Amino acid sequence: MKWTRFETVPLAELIDSPVIMGRRLRTYPLEVGDAAPHALCVVSENEKAVVVPDWILEQVGAMCRQTMRLMRVPGKPPFPRERFLFLVALGDGLRFGVEHGESTLIGSSDRFFLDAKKDDQHAGGGTLGVIPHEYFHAWCGKLACPEGLVSADFHTPVNPELLWVYEGLTSYYDEVLSARGGMTLAQEYLDGVRDTASSYEIRTGRLWRSVEDSARAARHLRQRGQFWHDARQGQEYYGQGALFWMEADAIIRRGTAGAKSLDDFCRVFFDVPVNPVGAQHGYTREDVVRALTSVLPSQDWDALIRARIETPAPTLDLSPLLRLVGYDLEFTDEPTKAQAAEEKKSEGQGTINLKQSIGASFSKEGEVTDLVIGSPADLAGLAWGMKVLAVGGWTWSPDRLREAVRASKEAGKVELTVSFGERVESKAIAYSGGLRYPRLVRLEGEPDILNEAVRPLDEGPAH
Ligand SMILES: [Zn+2]
């Protein structure tokens, strides 16, 4: 029997230092130049699942180098702590990522690396995106974090209202750094912005609940029910928080004619004393405003935070933000190849998503699984719990419904027969828009902020 004896460490460091173990543990060192050692450690019951191909190790190493390059302050070590370990446990029912000072604990299915395809993160369900997310947390969350989340002990309730910085900035940069490190293509990044923007344009909950309020309600929204999601909002400090930081990046890049970016904010904001593992440096809202102002003094950052984060959105329209990054959102009735593949995959998983057209989604069996408030489907009286029995007089099938929505351009309506408990009713959805797939269209003459943001940084020496 082999024994391992661990050194005695402070309680906070012990709690911040997870352990994985198993017979099939594999450890892969990552190429991070002269930084403190980094490694990817994988454990699983499935011996094939722990084999990580070289190209993934190269991409993860490149993403780490790009993150350190982004954070680099001359005269300081590239990585602030003594090591960094990606601790990955793969098996049935695991799906999480938790950030720690010198590591992250990631749980996923044993297909995590097996399904990943080179240059196509979406082929693996986009799950590898958790890797750059948790790595960015080594700075944003574990080096510095909101003062309200720093607690002297483990039983005092925390104040989560600045989670739009903690998780929002991390969510913006996990996609940017994924692309800078080559884990995703620039086009995939653009597709992600398109899907985020188009889904937020039908998210009616934005009109009453601010991003900050979603942060305050974090503990209720993490385990939310499935009904009325768009009206109630979810953990918006992630997605809408990320949109705020995308806007901030665009404002800085435009305001300095490309000389500065949000990267400069990060270098200022995360240049803090390195506390022992498990003891973060705390910051306040004023610190955020001060650091942003130091990068671009001409912008009223306090007012922008009040408008975008602390106040509900006055309208669902996101075109001003998209124009700022050099794009516009349009809808067509033909999906791109990737959208068609995504639609097929989503149908395979049991969701027929027509939220962008009639405003509802359905299970493969025809049950209403989601509704957009105020949409044609909602106005026609569709509701959760109803089941579509027939489309235009023919028995239900996902293809028939999609065809009926496509034909609505001529018919001006979509006719459904639905059951609700023991009742059967006819519903005529007044709609003539056909199928709708979002497209991001480049605005000529405007700076292309999205492509500028994902361009890899020069890995040469600090200047
Ligand atoms: Zn996070």
Side-chain angles (χ1 to χ4, degrees), residues 190-191 194-195 198 322 327-337 339 436-442:
L190 263 60
D191 290 351
R194 174 201 66 200
D195 292 344
S198 57
L322 291 172
Y327 289 82
D328 197 6
L329 198 60
E330 284 180 1
F331 288 85
T332 70
D333 54 6
E334 282 302 325
T336 62
K337 242 171 133 177
Q339 281 171 325
R436 292 176 87 235
Y437 298 93
R439 286 262 202 297
L440 214 48
V441 184
R442 181 81 183 90

PDB file of all heavy atoms in Angstrom, residues 190-191 194-195 198 322 327-337 339 436-442:
ATOM      1  N   LEU A 190     -18.434  34.871 -33.382  1.00  0.00           N
ATOM      2  CA  LEU A 190     -19.473  35.730 -33.959  1.00  0.00           C
ATOM      3  C   LEU A 190     -20.848  35.053 -33.889  1.00  0.00           C
ATOM      4  O   LEU A 190     -21.853  35.698 -33.574  1.00  0.00           O
ATOM      5  CB  LEU A 190     -19.133  36.058 -35.422  1.00  0.00           C
ATOM      6  CG  LEU A 190     -18.433  37.394 -35.685  1.00  0.00           C
ATOM      7  CD1 LEU A 190     -17.109  37.496 -34.966  1.00  0.00           C
ATOM      8  CD2 LEU A 190     -18.233  37.625 -37.175  1.00  0.00           C
ATOM      9  N   ASP A 191     -20.873  33.747 -34.177  1.00  0.00           N
ATOM     10  CA  ASP A 191     -22.146  33.011 -34.104  1.00  0.00           C
ATOM     11  C   ASP A 191     -22.705  33.047 -32.680  1.00  0.00           C
ATOM     12  O   ASP A 191     -23.916  33.150 -32.479  1.00  0.00           O
ATOM     13  CB  ASP A 191     -21.956  31.548 -34.536  1.00  0.00           C
ATOM     14  CG  ASP A 191     -21.678  31.417 -36.027  1.00  0.00           C
ATOM     15  OD1 ASP A 191     -21.802  32.434 -36.751  1.00  0.00           O
ATOM     16  OD2 ASP A 191     -21.318  30.309 -36.468  1.00  0.00           O
ATOM     17  N   ARG A 194     -24.256  36.397 -32.056  1.00  0.00           N
ATOM     18  CA  ARG A 194     -25.542  36.432 -32.781  1.00  0.00           C
ATOM     19  C   ARG A 194     -26.634  35.723 -31.977  1.00  0.00           C
ATOM     20  O   ARG A 194     -27.727  36.266 -31.780  1.00  0.00           O
ATOM     21  CB  ARG A 194     -25.352  35.734 -34.142  1.00  0.00           C
ATOM     22  CG  ARG A 194     -26.616  35.559 -34.955  1.00  0.00           C
ATOM     23  CD  ARG A 194     -26.439  34.447 -35.978  1.00  0.00           C
ATOM     24  NE  ARG A 194     -26.271  33.150 -35.319  1.00  0.00           N
ATOM     25  CZ  ARG A 194     -25.729  32.076 -35.889  1.00  0.00           C
ATOM     26  NH1 ARG A 194     -25.278  32.136 -37.120  1.00  0.00           N
ATOM     27  NH2 ARG A 194     -25.629  30.933 -35.229  1.00  0.00           N
ATOM     28  N   ASP A 195     -26.319  34.524 -31.480  1.00  0.00           N
ATOM     29  CA  ASP A 195     -27.338  33.754 -30.759  1.00  0.00           C
ATOM     30  C   ASP A 195     -27.696  34.402 -29.426  1.00  0.00           C
ATOM     31  O   ASP A 195     -28.859  34.406 -29.020  1.00  0.00           O
ATOM     32  CB  ASP A 195     -26.855  32.313 -30.542  1.00  0.00           C
ATOM     33  CG  ASP A 195     -26.759  31.560 -31.864  1.00  0.00           C
ATOM     34  OD1 ASP A 195     -27.344  32.043 -32.862  1.00  0.00           O
ATOM     35  OD2 ASP A 195     -26.101  30.507 -31.904  1.00  0.00           O
ATOM     36  N   SER A 198     -29.824  37.598 -30.290  1.00  0.00           N
ATOM     37  CA  SER A 198     -31.181  37.315 -30.775  1.00  0.00           C
ATOM     38  C   SER A 198     -32.042  36.713 -29.667  1.00  0.00           C
ATOM     39  O   SER A 198     -33.237  36.976 -29.595  1.00  0.00           O
ATOM     40  CB  SER A 198     -31.145  36.406 -32.011  1.00  0.00           C
ATOM     41  OG  SER A 198     -30.472  35.205 -31.729  1.00  0.00           O
ATOM     42  N   LEU A 322     -25.125  46.271 -30.972  1.00  0.00           N
ATOM     43  CA  LEU A 322     -24.531  45.571 -32.114  1.00  0.00           C
ATOM     44  C   LEU A 322     -23.884  46.559 -33.083  1.00  0.00           C
ATOM     45  O   LEU A 322     -22.823  46.292 -33.643  1.00  0.00           O
ATOM     46  CB  LEU A 322     -25.592  44.725 -32.822  1.00  0.00           C
ATOM     47  CG  LEU A 322     -26.069  43.529 -31.989  1.00  0.00           C
ATOM     48  CD1 LEU A 322     -27.252  42.842 -32.642  1.00  0.00           C
ATOM     49  CD2 LEU A 322     -24.935  42.526 -31.779  1.00  0.00           C
ATOM     50  N   TYR A 327     -21.876  45.631 -36.205  1.00  0.00           N
ATOM     51  CA  TYR A 327     -22.758  44.635 -36.827  1.00  0.00           C
ATOM     52  C   TYR A 327     -24.232  44.998 -36.684  1.00  0.00           C
ATOM     53  O   TYR A 327     -24.602  45.883 -35.921  1.00  0.00           O
ATOM     54  CB  TYR A 327     -22.522  43.249 -36.202  1.00  0.00           C
ATOM     55  CG  TYR A 327     -21.200  42.649 -36.597  1.00  0.00           C
ATOM     56  CD1 TYR A 327     -20.034  43.010 -35.927  1.00  0.00           C
ATOM     57  CD2 TYR A 327     -21.103  41.760 -37.658  1.00  0.00           C
ATOM     58  CE1 TYR A 327     -18.801  42.486 -36.302  1.00  0.00           C
ATOM     59  CE2 TYR A 327     -19.879  41.229 -38.039  1.00  0.00           C
ATOM     60  CZ  TYR A 327     -18.735  41.592 -37.353  1.00  0.00           C
ATOM     61  OH  TYR A 327     -17.524  41.077 -37.729  1.00  0.00           O
ATOM     62  N   ASP A 328     -25.055  44.268 -37.429  1.00  0.00           N
ATOM     63  CA  ASP A 328     -26.496  44.389 -37.303  1.00  0.00           C
ATOM     64  C   ASP A 328     -27.074  42.973 -37.319  1.00  0.00           C
ATOM     65  O   ASP A 328     -26.440  42.039 -37.817  1.00  0.00           O
ATOM     66  CB  ASP A 328     -27.062  45.214 -38.472  1.00  0.00           C
ATOM     67  CG  ASP A 328     -28.463  45.722 -38.170  1.00  0.00           C
ATOM     68  OD1 ASP A 328     -28.928  45.533 -37.018  1.00  0.00           O
ATOM     69  OD2 ASP A 328     -29.094  46.280 -39.074  1.00  0.00           O
ATOM     70  N   LEU A 329     -28.264  42.836 -36.750  1.00  0.00           N
ATOM     71  CA  LEU A 329     -28.913  41.527 -36.703  1.00  0.00           C
ATOM     72  C   LEU A 329     -30.027  41.502 -37.734  1.00  0.00           C
ATOM     73  O   LEU A 329     -30.865  42.398 -37.765  1.00  0.00           O
ATOM     74  CB  LEU A 329     -29.482  41.314 -35.295  1.00  0.00           C
ATOM     75  CG  LEU A 329     -29.829  39.903 -34.857  1.00  0.00           C
ATOM     76  CD1 LEU A 329     -28.615  38.992 -34.893  1.00  0.00           C
ATOM     77  CD2 LEU A 329     -30.409  39.936 -33.445  1.00  0.00           C
ATOM     78  N   GLU A 330     -30.010  40.479 -38.613  1.00  0.00           N
ATOM     79  CA  GLU A 330     -31.098  40.323 -39.577  1.00  0.00           C
ATOM     80  C   GLU A 330     -31.647  38.907 -39.462  1.00  0.00           C
ATOM     81  O   GLU A 330     -30.990  38.030 -38.926  1.00  0.00           O
ATOM     82  CB  GLU A 330     -30.578  40.553 -41.004  1.00  0.00           C
ATOM     83  CG  GLU A 330     -30.354  42.012 -41.327  1.00  0.00           C
ATOM     84  CD  GLU A 330     -29.835  42.218 -42.742  1.00  0.00           C
ATOM     85  OE1 GLU A 330     -29.683  41.212 -43.468  1.00  0.00           O
ATOM     86  OE2 GLU A 330     -29.582  43.377 -43.094  1.00  0.00           O
ATOM     87  N   PHE A 331     -32.838  38.718 -39.999  1.00  0.00           N
ATOM     88  CA  PHE A 331     -33.438  37.379 -39.966  1.00  0.00           C
ATOM     89  C   PHE A 331     -33.739  36.911 -41.385  1.00  0.00           C
ATOM     90  O   PHE A 331     -34.196  37.699 -42.218  1.00  0.00           O
ATOM     91  CB  PHE A 331     -34.726  37.396 -39.130  1.00  0.00           C
ATOM     92  CG  PHE A 331     -34.455  37.528 -37.658  1.00  0.00           C
ATOM     93  CD1 PHE A 331     -34.269  38.777 -37.079  1.00  0.00           C
ATOM     94  CD2 PHE A 331     -34.341  36.400 -36.864  1.00  0.00           C
ATOM     95  CE1 PHE A 331     -33.993  38.903 -35.725  1.00  0.00           C
ATOM     96  CE2 PHE A 331     -34.066  36.515 -35.507  1.00  0.00           C
ATOM     97  CZ  PHE A 331     -33.893  37.766 -34.937  1.00  0.00           C
ATOM     98  N   THR A 332     -33.450  35.633 -41.669  1.00  0.00           N
ATOM     99  CA  THR A 332     -33.788  35.068 -42.973  1.00  0.00           C
ATOM    100  C   THR A 332     -34.563  33.774 -42.726  1.00  0.00           C
ATOM    101  O   THR A 332     -34.587  33.264 -41.603  1.00  0.00           O
ATOM    102  CB  THR A 332     -32.528  34.712 -43.790  1.00  0.00           C
ATOM    103  OG1 THR A 332     -31.900  33.589 -43.167  1.00  0.00           O
ATOM    104  CG2 THR A 332     -31.561  35.874 -43.841  1.00  0.00           C
ATOM    105  N   ASP A 333     -35.190  33.248 -43.793  1.00  0.00           N
ATOM    106  CA  ASP A 333     -35.964  32.020 -43.569  1.00  0.00           C
ATOM    107  C   ASP A 333     -35.159  30.759 -43.881  1.00  0.00           C
ATOM    108  O   ASP A 333     -35.672  29.654 -43.759  1.00  0.00           O
ATOM    109  CB  ASP A 333     -37.289  32.047 -44.345  1.00  0.00           C
ATOM    110  CG  ASP A 333     -37.091  32.317 -45.821  1.00  0.00           C
ATOM    111  OD1 ASP A 333     -35.920  32.375 -46.258  1.00  0.00           O
ATOM    112  OD2 ASP A 333     -38.097  32.476 -46.533  1.00  0.00           O
ATOM    113  N   GLU A 334     -33.891  30.927 -44.290  1.00  0.00           N
ATOM    114  CA  GLU A 334     -33.048  29.753 -44.535  1.00  0.00           C
ATOM    115  C   GLU A 334     -31.944  29.678 -43.483  1.00  0.00           C
ATOM    116  O   GLU A 334     -31.220  30.647 -43.277  1.00  0.00           O
ATOM    117  CB  GLU A 334     -32.421  29.833 -45.936  1.00  0.00           C
ATOM    118  CG  GLU A 334     -33.360  29.458 -47.072  1.00  0.00           C
ATOM    119  CD  GLU A 334     -33.936  28.043 -46.945  1.00  0.00           C
ATOM    120  OE1 GLU A 334     -33.215  27.140 -46.462  1.00  0.00           O
ATOM    121  OE2 GLU A 334     -35.111  27.854 -47.309  1.00  0.00           O
ATOM    122  N   PRO A 335     -31.797  28.519 -42.823  1.00  0.00           N
ATOM    123  CA  PRO A 335     -30.717  28.395 -41.835  1.00  0.00           C
ATOM    124  C   PRO A 335     -29.357  28.260 -42.519  1.00  0.00           C
ATOM    125  O   PRO A 335     -29.283  27.770 -43.649  1.00  0.00           O
ATOM    126  CB  PRO A 335     -31.067  27.099 -41.096  1.00  0.00           C
ATOM    127  CG  PRO A 335     -31.865  26.293 -42.074  1.00  0.00           C
ATOM    128  CD  PRO A 335     -32.595  27.281 -42.941  1.00  0.00           C
ATOM    129  N   THR A 336     -28.288  28.710 -41.852  1.00  0.00           N
ATOM    130  CA  THR A 336     -26.947  28.380 -42.334  1.00  0.00           C
ATOM    131  C   THR A 336     -26.742  26.889 -42.086  1.00  0.00           C
ATOM    132  O   THR A 336     -27.531  26.257 -41.383  1.00  0.00           O
ATOM    133  CB  THR A 336     -25.861  29.158 -41.564  1.00  0.00           C
ATOM    134  OG1 THR A 336     -25.936  28.764 -40.183  1.00  0.00           O
ATOM    135  CG2 THR A 336     -26.051  30.661 -41.675  1.00  0.00           C
ATOM    136  N   LYS A 337     -25.646  26.354 -42.641  1.00  0.00           N
ATOM    137  CA  LYS A 337     -25.350  24.930 -42.433  1.00  0.00           C
ATOM    138  C   LYS A 337     -25.248  24.623 -40.936  1.00  0.00           C
ATOM    139  O   LYS A 337     -25.782  23.630 -40.449  1.00  0.00           O
ATOM    140  CB  LYS A 337     -24.004  24.598 -43.105  1.00  0.00           C
ATOM    141  CG  LYS A 337     -24.119  23.577 -44.219  1.00  0.00           C
ATOM    142  CD  LYS A 337     -22.799  23.503 -44.931  1.00  0.00           C
ATOM    143  CE  LYS A 337     -22.366  22.074 -45.151  1.00  0.00           C
ATOM    144  NZ  LYS A 337     -21.112  22.020 -45.911  1.00  0.00           N
ATOM    145  N   GLN A 339     -26.558  26.348 -38.448  1.00  0.00           N
ATOM    146  CA  GLN A 339     -27.868  26.475 -37.783  1.00  0.00           C
ATOM    147  C   GLN A 339     -28.737  25.251 -38.053  1.00  0.00           C
ATOM    148  O   GLN A 339     -29.455  24.786 -37.173  1.00  0.00           O
ATOM    149  CB  GLN A 339     -28.584  27.747 -38.258  1.00  0.00           C
ATOM    150  CG  GLN A 339     -28.060  29.010 -37.583  1.00  0.00           C
ATOM    151  CD  GLN A 339     -28.603  30.278 -38.213  1.00  0.00           C
ATOM    152  OE1 GLN A 339     -28.811  30.340 -39.427  1.00  0.00           O
ATOM    153  NE2 GLN A 339     -28.815  31.302 -37.406  1.00  0.00           N
ATOM    154  N   ARG A 436     -37.650  31.962 -39.078  1.00  0.00           N
ATOM    155  CA  ARG A 436     -36.721  33.083 -38.871  1.00  0.00           C
ATOM    156  C   ARG A 436     -35.427  32.597 -38.231  1.00  0.00           C
ATOM    157  O   ARG A 436     -35.439  32.044 -37.138  1.00  0.00           O
ATOM    158  CB  ARG A 436     -37.363  34.156 -37.985  1.00  0.00           C
ATOM    159  CG  ARG A 436     -38.519  34.882 -38.653  1.00  0.00           C
ATOM    160  CD  ARG A 436     -39.177  35.856 -37.695  1.00  0.00           C
ATOM    161  NE  ARG A 436     -38.520  37.156 -37.697  1.00  0.00           N
ATOM    162  CZ  ARG A 436     -38.035  37.756 -36.622  1.00  0.00           C
ATOM    163  NH1 ARG A 436     -38.101  37.145 -35.453  1.00  0.00           N
ATOM    164  NH2 ARG A 436     -37.473  38.935 -36.699  1.00  0.00           N
ATOM    165  N   TYR A 437     -34.329  32.812 -38.956  1.00  0.00           N
ATOM    166  CA  TYR A 437     -33.004  32.464 -38.430  1.00  0.00           C
ATOM    167  C   TYR A 437     -32.160  33.735 -38.365  1.00  0.00           C
ATOM    168  O   TYR A 437     -32.071  34.462 -39.354  1.00  0.00           O
ATOM    169  CB  TYR A 437     -32.327  31.433 -39.334  1.00  0.00           C
ATOM    170  CG  TYR A 437     -33.080  30.132 -39.421  1.00  0.00           C
ATOM    171  CD1 TYR A 437     -34.006  29.916 -40.440  1.00  0.00           C
ATOM    172  CD2 TYR A 437     -32.886  29.135 -38.469  1.00  0.00           C
ATOM    173  CE1 TYR A 437     -34.711  28.727 -40.522  1.00  0.00           C
ATOM    174  CE2 TYR A 437     -33.596  27.941 -38.541  1.00  0.00           C
ATOM    175  CZ  TYR A 437     -34.506  27.746 -39.570  1.00  0.00           C
ATOM    176  OH  TYR A 437     -35.204  26.570 -39.640  1.00  0.00           O
ATOM    177  N   PRO A 438     -31.551  34.005 -37.202  1.00  0.00           N
ATOM    178  CA  PRO A 438     -30.770  35.246 -37.085  1.00  0.00           C
ATOM    179  C   PRO A 438     -29.455  35.182 -37.858  1.00  0.00           C
ATOM    180  O   PRO A 438     -28.844  34.116 -37.989  1.00  0.00           O
ATOM    181  CB  PRO A 438     -30.501  35.346 -35.576  1.00  0.00           C
ATOM    182  CG  PRO A 438     -30.592  33.947 -35.068  1.00  0.00           C
ATOM    183  CD  PRO A 438     -31.573  33.234 -35.952  1.00  0.00           C
ATOM    184  N   ARG A 439     -29.044  36.331 -38.390  1.00  0.00           N
ATOM    185  CA  ARG A 439     -27.751  36.469 -39.077  1.00  0.00           C
ATOM    186  C   ARG A 439     -27.087  37.737 -38.573  1.00  0.00           C
ATOM    187  O   ARG A 439     -27.753  38.762 -38.403  1.00  0.00           O
ATOM    188  CB  ARG A 439     -27.955  36.705 -40.573  1.00  0.00           C
ATOM    189  CG  ARG A 439     -28.370  35.527 -41.349  1.00  0.00           C
ATOM    190  CD  ARG A 439     -27.188  34.876 -42.044  1.00  0.00           C
ATOM    191  NE  ARG A 439     -27.662  34.088 -43.172  1.00  0.00           N
ATOM    192  CZ  ARG A 439     -28.470  33.038 -43.041  1.00  0.00           C
ATOM    193  NH1 ARG A 439     -28.883  32.671 -41.850  1.00  0.00           N
ATOM    194  NH2 ARG A 439     -28.871  32.385 -44.099  1.00  0.00           N
ATOM    195  N   LEU A 440     -25.784  37.672 -38.376  1.00  0.00           N
ATOM    196  CA  LEU A 440     -25.038  38.864 -38.006  1.00  0.00           C
ATOM    197  C   LEU A 440     -24.502  39.468 -39.297  1.00  0.00           C
ATOM    198  O   LEU A 440     -23.809  38.790 -40.061  1.00  0.00           O
ATOM    199  CB  LEU A 440     -23.890  38.461 -37.077  1.00  0.00           C
ATOM    200  CG  LEU A 440     -23.468  39.407 -35.966  1.00  0.00           C
ATOM    201  CD1 LEU A 440     -24.653  39.919 -35.171  1.00  0.00           C
ATOM    202  CD2 LEU A 440     -22.478  38.707 -35.046  1.00  0.00           C
ATOM    203  N   VAL A 441     -24.855  40.717 -39.560  1.00  0.00           N
ATOM    204  CA  VAL A 441     -24.443  41.351 -40.812  1.00  0.00           C
ATOM    205  C   VAL A 441     -23.446  42.457 -40.499  1.00  0.00           C
ATOM    206  O   VAL A 441     -23.675  43.285 -39.614  1.00  0.00           O
ATOM    207  CB  VAL A 441     -25.673  41.952 -41.541  1.00  0.00           C
ATOM    208  CG1 VAL A 441     -25.265  42.520 -42.891  1.00  0.00           C
ATOM    209  CG2 VAL A 441     -26.746  40.891 -41.705  1.00  0.00           C
ATOM    210  N   ARG A 442     -22.346  42.476 -41.210  1.00  0.00           N
ATOM    211  CA  ARG A 442     -21.289  43.457 -40.992  1.00  0.00           C
ATOM    212  C   ARG A 442     -21.740  44.836 -41.478  1.00  0.00           C
ATOM    213  O   ARG A 442     -22.281  44.964 -42.572  1.00  0.00           O
ATOM    214  CB  ARG A 442     -20.064  42.982 -41.788  1.00  0.00           C
ATOM    215  CG  ARG A 442     -18.855  43.832 -41.675  1.00  0.00           C
ATOM    216  CD  ARG A 442     -18.067  43.572 -40.415  1.00  0.00           C
ATOM    217  NE  ARG A 442     -16.973  44.536 -40.427  1.00  0.00           N
ATOM    218  CZ  ARG A 442     -17.047  45.743 -39.883  1.00  0.00           C
ATOM    219  NH1 ARG A 442     -18.122  46.113 -39.217  1.00  0.00           N
ATOM    220  NH2 ARG A 442     -16.042  46.580 -39.970  1.00  0.00           N
TER     221      ARG A 442
END
